[in-house]
């Protein structure tokens, strides 16, 4: 077969264990696929979405109920965004639980952390664009968190919200960040991340002398597997988007429910739960930031796996990092469940 453009994305052959599903979980590849779906469906949504407070929710209703296949496009965009956050978290856990961040991959791990933060920020800004009753928490509690930062809180709040309280300027700012600012940076980081995977010698496996087997697969085989994974993911996503609609509530009105009754988007429920403990700057700012910094610097300050241990789950050399990641994961899941329980 003559190689085409897609074949050139991979080296001519790679060690077979770099492409094992039970090692990579295909999470990185799925994240790339979801990012592409988001880009295409997001561009299509832009033809109908109107970023003004009185038109935003109505324009989404028009798109959903009146535009042919508009509902499907919107559902695909929504579900891809939720799965992108989940799949990226799975990918991060896979990288930590296999110690794949060891040198020379430390820098790429940081690029990955940047992508994770951007995926969450894109999900958050996109969710605000609904400008319906469901987004009150984000709009009121979320933006007020910025105000609680000592010294710089107020000016930062004005920059974020575009005034002294949420209004038309807020929506246009979130729109600008969502469709351009964050998307552009995410696109650049994504290409850089993928380039670094290749530059760092592909996915982490032991060097040839320490490898149990020397079996290699061709790029045609790799591309075939990627194609199958993508088809399966596309089928699942289409089925879900056909039958389960993305949330949309009534447009925001000044008189409607208070912010206390509103719920954070699912990926910030753990933060919402911590806010009940007291000081918003500490629980809503310092603690989440500390978690982020701790995870980001795992490759730099924690013991590394030995070279021969790479390519396997749970290497002995980085047990400390695995324990820390597991602890954070359990704490976040527990806080999320608590936030979902009905208030006593
Ligand atoms: C939108 C988010 C992301 C995308 C699209 C993405 C994509 C990918 C892909 C396609 C690969 C190669 C295949 C694989 O390992 O599955 C990869 C590898 C890698 N990623 Fe990511 N990634 C993302 C986020 C992250 C995050 C959050 C981290 C960790 C902080 C990370 C760290 C790494 C590392 C260290 C490798 C090399 C793994 C190894 O050598 O075994 N990535 N990424």
């Amino acid at each position: 077969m003559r190689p085409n453009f897609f074949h050139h994305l991979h080296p001519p052959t790679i060690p077979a264990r770099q492409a094992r599903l039970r090692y990579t979980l295909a999470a990185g590849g799925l994240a790339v696929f979801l990012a592409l779906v988001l880009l295409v469906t997001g561009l299509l949504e832009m033809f109908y979405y109107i970023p003004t407070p009185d038109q935003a929710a109505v324009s989404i209703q028009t798109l959903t109920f009146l535009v042919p296949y508009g509902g499907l496009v919107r559902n695909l965009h929504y579900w891809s965004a939720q799965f992108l956050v989940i799949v990226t978290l799975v990918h991060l856990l896979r990288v930590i639980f296999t110690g794949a961040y060891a040198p020379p991959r430390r820098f790429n791990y940081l690029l990955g952390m940047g992508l994770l933060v951007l995926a969450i920020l894109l999900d958050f800004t996109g969710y605000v664009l609904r400008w319906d009753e469901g987004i009150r928490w984000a709009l009121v509690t979320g933006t007020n968190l910025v105000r609680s930062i000592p010294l710089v809180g107020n000016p930062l709040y004005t920059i974020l919200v575009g005034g002294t309280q949420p209004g038309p300027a807020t929506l246009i700012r979130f729109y600008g960040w969502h469709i351009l600012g964050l998307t552009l940076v995410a696109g650049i980081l994504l290409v850089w991340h993928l380039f670094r995977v290749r530059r760092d010698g592909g996915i982490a496996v032991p060097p040839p002398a320490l490898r149990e087997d020397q079996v290699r697969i061709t790029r045609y085989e790799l591309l075939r597997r990627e194609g199958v994974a993508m088809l399966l993911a596309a089928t699942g996503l289409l089925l879900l988007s056909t039958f389960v609609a993305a949330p949309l509530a009534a447009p925001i009105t000044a008189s409607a429910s208070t912010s206390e009754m509103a719920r954070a988007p699912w990926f910030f429920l753990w933060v919402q739960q911590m806010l009940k403990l007291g000081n918003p700057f500490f629980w809503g700012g310092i603690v989440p930031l500390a978690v982020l910094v701790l995870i980001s610097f795992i490759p730099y300050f924690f013991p590394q796996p030995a070279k021969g241990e790479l390519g396997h789950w749970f290497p002995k050399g980085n047990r400390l990092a695995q324990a820390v990641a597991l602890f954070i994961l359990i704490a976040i899941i527990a806080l999320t469940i608590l936030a979902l329980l009905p208030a006593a």
Side-chain angles (χ1 to χ4, degrees), residues 273-337:
Q273 185 64 21
M274 284 198 302
L275 284 173
K276 293 181 187 159
L277 297 173
N279 188 319
F281 175 57
F282 182 76
W283 292 107
I286 298 287
V287 174
L289 197 69
V291 170
L292 191 70
V293 171
L294 180 64
I295 299 176
S296 299
F297 288 101
I298 280 181
Y300 292 87
F301 298 120
F302 283 65
Q304 311 279 345
K307 284 206 179 326
E309 288 184 305
L310 292 176
H312 297 277
W313 282 85
F314 311 115
K316 282 203 184 85
N318 81 330
R319 286 271 154 89
L320 183 62
Q322 295 171 35
V324 169
L326 190 65
F327 174 77
I328 294 174
L329 180 71
I330 292 174
I332 290 180
I333 293 178
L335 285 165
T336 305
I337 294 173

Side-chain angles (χ1 to χ4, degrees), residues 8-339:
H8 287 294
L9 296 176
H10 301 300
T13 65
I14 61 162
R17 41 176 55 244
Q18 285 186 341
R20 267 190 204 152
L21 183 62
R22 63 173 183 272
Y23 175 47
T24 67
L25 307 178
L30 281 178
V32 175
F33 170 69
L34 291 169
L36 292 175
V37 174
L38 280 163
L39 189 68
V40 175
T41 51
L43 281 171
L44 290 174
E45 284 193 282
M46 279 175 69
F47 284 97
Y48 287 92
Y49 180 74
I50 306 172
T52 59
D54 53 337
Q55 287 295 311
V58 179
S59 70
I60 297 180
Q61 280 174 6
T62 307
L63 170 75
T64 310
F65 302 115
L66 299 180
V67 177
Y69 298 103
L72 183 64
V73 169
R74 173 168 185 247
N75 293 347
L76 280 171
H77 194 73
Y78 173 80
W79 286 116
S80 304
Q82 312 319 310
F83 282 119
L84 179 63
V85 174
I86 295 172
V87 162
T88 308
L89 284 171
V90 170
H91 178 56
L92 164 68
L93 290 173
R94 177 312 256 175
V95 167
I96 295 178
F97 288 134
T98 58
Y101 54 72
R105 295 178 177 79
R106 290 199 293 200
F107 178 66
N108 207 16
Y109 179 93
L110 284 185
L111 289 178
M113 280 308 287
L115 282 167
L116 175 63
V117 171
L118 284 165
I120 291 174
L121 289 179
L122 276 162
D123 209 346
F124 185 74
T125 48
Y127 155 98
V128 170
L129 297 188
R130 271 164 47 196
W131 212 258
D132 66 4
E133 278 304 327
I135 66 136
R136 271 189 181 265
W137 184 90
L139 204 57
V140 183
T141 319
T143 50
N144 271 339
L145 268 181
V146 174
R147 232 184 211 155
S148 69
I149 304 174
L151 301 175
V152 292
N154 276 329
L156 266 185
Y157 179 90
T158 314
I159 293 172
L160 180 72
V161 165
T164 50
Q165 59 178 39
T170 318
L171 182 50
I172 201 78
R173 276 180 197 210
F174 273 71
Y175 184 61
W177 280 114
H178 187 74
I179 64 155
L180 189 66
L182 295 169
T183 302
L184 196 67
V185 182
I188 294 169
L189 282 198
L190 180 56
V191 173
W192 197 356
H193 187 65
L194 298 180
F195 166 77
R196 286 296 322 200
V197 171
R198 181 99 182 245
R199 224 10 187 349
D200 295 336
I203 293 170
V205 288
L210 300 174
R211 225 173 276 159
E212 295 141 19
D213 61 65
Q214 303 296 332
V215 185
R216 298 181 76 85
I217 59 164
T218 63
R219 60 178 158 207
Y220 303 104
E221 171 58 17
L222 180 59
L223 207 65
R224 190 191 62 81
R225 291 188 199 178
E226 284 173 348
V228 172
M230 230 159 70
L231 272 177
L232 287 175
T235 310
L237 200 61
L238 263 174
L239 280 175
L240 184 71
S241 305
T242 306
F243 295 110
V244 191
L248 183 62
I252 287 189
T253 52
S255 58
S257 60
T258 63
S259 63
E260 288 84 60
M261 289 161 67
R263 201 174 253 176
W266 65 269
F267 44 89
F268 279 153
L269 281 172
W270 62 288
V271 179
Q272 184 181 23
Q273 185 64 21
M274 284 198 302
L275 284 173
K276 293 181 187 159
L277 297 173
N279 188 319
F281 175 57
F282 182 76
W283 292 107
I286 298 287
V287 174
L289 197 69
V291 170
L292 191 70
V293 171
L294 180 64
I295 299 176
S296 299
F297 288 101
I298 280 181
Y300 292 87
F301 298 120
F302 283 65
Q304 311 279 345
K307 284 206 179 326
E309 288 184 305
L310 292 176
H312 297 277
W313 282 85
F314 311 115
K316 282 203 184 85
N318 81 330
R319 286 271 154 89
L320 183 62
Q322 295 171 35
V324 169
L326 190 65
F327 174 77
I328 294 174
L329 180 71
I330 292 174
I332 290 180
I333 293 178
L335 285 165
T336 305
I337 294 173
L338 281 176

